[in-house]
Amino acid sequence: MKVLVLNAGSSSLKCSLFEMPEGRKLAYCEVERVGSEDSEVTFRAGGSEQRRPCGVPDHGHALDIALASLTGGERPVLDGLDRIAAVGHRVVHGGPMTESTLIDEETLETIRRNAVLAPLHNPPNLEGIEAATRLLPDRPQVAAFDTAFHARMPREAHLYALPYSLYAERGVRVYGFHGTSHRYVARRAAAMVGREPGELNLITMHLGNGCSAAAVRGGRSVDTSMGMTPLAGLVMGTRCGDIDPGLFYLLTEWLDQSPAELYDLLNRDSGLAGLSGVSNDVRELLAAASEGNERAQMALEVFCYRARKYVGAYFAVLGRVDGLIFTAGIGENSPEVRGEICRGLEGLGIALDPDANRAARGADALISAPDSPTAVLVVCTNEELQIATDVWETLEGAG
Ligand code: AMP
């Protein structure tokens, strides 16, 4: 069964075509700068890649182009669009939704209602769903929510110490994000160590441009570092992560900025980029630090220290930790960052194998010492495959 997975962002559309249940990726198409005159289309299939510029006014046109690349060219991936049996969508905010679900009027209403909590993400996600409904009519569509994995966290983990009415009347709580990634790597790590996900306590560290940690007990998220919005928790590329909430008032006064301007500063001008003044990219920071750039070094130290604190906190949450998992761009590729986060954690039962850590770049690997009580793993995340799997499992369950 061929499943198309769509990730519609504010200015991009990413589509992956999978053969399920094998999980084989048949093609990938990305349209960047949707809504501008100088969009770019990248198409990958059968080991080759093509790029071409073109004007793409909206997500509908972007999907049209992606579908045409699947059926066009000298060696089409599909002999017709009717071969696509179902569509899966990444949707950022699902509010109370606890699992991936078939898209019907009720699901659409949930996504619309939660757009206020993810104003940059849910509207383009809806555009992707509308485009797929129009261009691939009558196909079952499934929404996979970034928040769903965390939706059943216990109340002591998801409540803020604010007036309760804000929770009861406005849904102010910790939602958490990157759930599809945390869920995928937790399952994959269990397979790598030959155990069932339900038997394991894991800490999953998604370290990419956005960063979050999760405490996973028996295959379920019981705590996570992002909050009501994806600004909380770990230090990120350009986002500040945890700060004193009192700063929000003081800085609007001192900098004479509106709340919207300050929100922008915390989202776009902070994190690794803001601290270092060099870059939001860990590769560039490591290079600058090795040439003696003190602020690049300092930014990396703050990043790793914050991540190490969350590892410690989630040890306390879980009581026993079977595995610590690193994933996403930084987690999968940077032995330096992984080593620094794990430094000094032998007392908690974490001992890296330095050679295995150094060798693990962009591939799944066990990087802890053989006698480390907690296994440390690098697991390459694959949110698209997880969404395709959800589509398959949802339809199997329904059929
Ligand atoms: P993601 O959001 O998962 O695509 O991760 C993107 C981030 O991963 C980039 O901003 C870099 O900071 C980081 N990254 C990617 N490749 C490497 C690498 N080889 N070494 C260190 N960091 C990397």
Side-chain angles (χ1 to χ4, degrees):
M1 168 174 139
K2 294 188 172 47
V3 173
L4 187 70
V5 175
L6 298 192
N7 181 353
S10 53
S11 64
S12 69
L13 180 78
K14 297 174 187 157
C15 309
S16 304
L17 183 70
F18 286 93
E19 184 69 57
M20 297 304 292
E22 298 86 334
R24 194 155 38 87
K25 194 167 182 169
L26 304 173
Y28 174 78
C29 185
E30 178 169 357
V31 185
E32 289 170 277
R33 293 184 293 281
V34 172
S36 84
E37 289 290 301
D38 62 342
S39 317
E40 187 174 55
V41 182
T42 306
F43 181 69
R44 271 185 235 131
S48 73
E49 177 177 299
Q50 295 149 24
R51 279 173 187 266
R52 64 191 164 91
C54 71
V56 182
D58 53 41
H59 284 90
H61 283 80
L63 182 58
D64 225 355
I65 290 170
L67 294 176
S69 24
L70 291 172
T71 52
E74 282 170 20
R75 272 185 291 159
V77 178
L78 295 175
D79 50 24
L81 290 181
D82 52 351
R83 301 291 304 279
I84 298 175
V87 185
H89 295 268
R90 177 188 181 206
V91 178
V92 167
H93 219 302
M97 303 301 289
T98 55
E99 56 192 21
S100 298
T101 178
L102 262 180
I103 297 178
D104 54 14
E105 207 27 65
E106 200 182 325
T107 318
L108 283 172
E109 188 44 40
T110 302
I111 301 170
R112 282 188 208 113
R113 207 174 39 248
N114 287 293
V116 63
L117 300 174
L120 300 180
H121 295 102
N122 277 26
N125 297 159
L126 279 165
E127 282 177 38
I129 295 171
E130 279 157 22
T133 308
R134 194 156 33 80
L135 297 168
L136 298 166
D138 306 325
R139 303 312 192 285
Q141 300 191 60
V142 170
F145 305 100
D146 275 18
T147 48
F149 188 49
H150 309 297
R152 281 191 279 227
M153 288 188 305
R155 67 182 177 192
E156 66 268 28
H158 78 240
L159 282 176
Y160 291 118
L162 289 168
Y164 187 75
S165 56
L166 288 174
Y167 168 72
E169 290 161 24
R170 290 176 179 256
V172 174
R173 55 162 280 178
V174 173
Y175 286 99
F177 299 87
H178 292 145
T180 308
S181 175
H182 288 291
R183 184 158 57 98
Y184 175 81
V185 299
R187 275 197 197 185
R188 173 83 191 112
M192 284 167 70
V193 298
R195 306 265 300 273
E196 288 299 318
E199 299 171 359
L200 296 176
N201 287 353
L202 302 171
I203 299 175
T204 50
M205 307 290 289
H206 178 109
L207 307 178
N209 211 7
C211 299
S212 66
V216 182
R217 177 181 289 131
R220 287 192 173 197
S221 171
V222 292
D223 203 349
T224 192
S225 60
M226 283 179 166
M228 170 103 177
T229 75
L231 188 53
L234 304 178
V235 175
M236 309 181 213
T238 62
R239 282 173 256 170
C240 58
D242 293 338
I243 55 167
D244 176 350
L247 277 172
F248 205 84
Y249 170 73
L250 289 179
L251 291 180
T252 44
E253 293 274 300
W254 291 354
L255 304 179
D256 193 23
Q257 290 196 343
S258 67
E261 285 170 325
L262 190 60
Y263 193 50
D264 222 44
L265 179 145
L266 302 179
N267 269 295
R268 296 183 206 275
D269 301 331
S270 302
L272 291 171
L275 264 176
S276 69
V278 173
S279 170
N280 63 337
D281 191 311
V282 164
R283 283 165 291 198
E284 290 176 28
L285 293 175
L286 287 166
S290 72
E291 287 162 11
N293 186 309
E294 188 47 40
R295 276 181 56 189
Q297 178 62 31
M298 179 186 72
L300 288 167
E301 283 167 13
V302 175
F303 179 92
C304 294
Y305 177 76
R306 179 84 53 87
R308 197 187 306 131
K309 274 211 305 200
Y310 268 92
V311 173
Y314 290 166
F315 257 86
V317 166
L318 293 168
R320 181 200 85 231
V321 178
D322 303 297
L324 169 65
I325 294 140
F326 288 101
T327 191
I330 303 167
E332 291 166 23
N333 292 296
S334 180
E336 298 89 345
V337 168
R338 294 189 300 251
E340 181 58 18
I341 292 172
C342 293
R343 188 168 58 82
L345 296 185
E346 294 78 8
L348 290 179
I350 291 181
L352 283 187
D353 174 335
D355 292 334
N357 181 36
R358 216 171 299 120
R361 287 181 191 265
D364 294 353
L366 180 69
I367 59 169
S368 44
D371 58 352
S372 176
T374 298
V376 185
L377 299 110
V378 173
V379 180
C380 297
T381 194
N382 195 337
E383 288 158 284
E384 292 85 7
L385 175 58
Q386 184 61 62
I387 294 171
T389 306
D390 288 359
V391 172
W392 167 256
E393 288 176 357
T394 304
L395 297 180
E396 280 289 281

